[in-house]
Amino acid sequence: MIIQWRKSIHSGGANDEHCVEVGRLAPGVGVGLRDSKDPDGGHLTLSGAQFACLVEQIKQDSTR
């Protein structure tokens, strides 16, 4: 299966140093996160539930 990575809308910063890409992994595996500046450096695998918790935490932190 080929993973289609997409850059997070929250990526950026000065000189684009904060670059995160998200990709849907094989069915039942979850979601992959990787550094877009190092696409061959591997990725972090999260379950769907873990990814949802991460997104919720990011949303909460951004409102503080």
Side-chain angles (χ1 to χ4, degrees):
M1 173 182 184
I2 297 174
I3 302 170
Q4 292 186 355
W5 296 97
R6 63 186 178 98
K7 193 179 226 184
S8 169
I9 61 171
H10 298 286
S11 290
N15 299 317
D16 208 28
E17 76 259 9
H18 305 295
C19 303
V20 177
E21 291 182 325
V22 178
R24 186 179 305 249
L25 305 178
V29 175
V31 178
L33 300 174
R34 72 178 184 181
D35 180 347
S36 63
K37 296 183 311 282
D38 187 16
D40 296 323
H43 65 270
L44 175 66
T45 300
L46 301 174
S47 70
Q50 289 171 319
F51 183 71
C53 286
L54 175 63
V55 169
E56 188 59 35
Q57 186 65 48
I58 291 168
K59 287 179 182 179
Q60 288 178 9
D61 288 348
S62 69
T63 60
R64 294 181 187 177

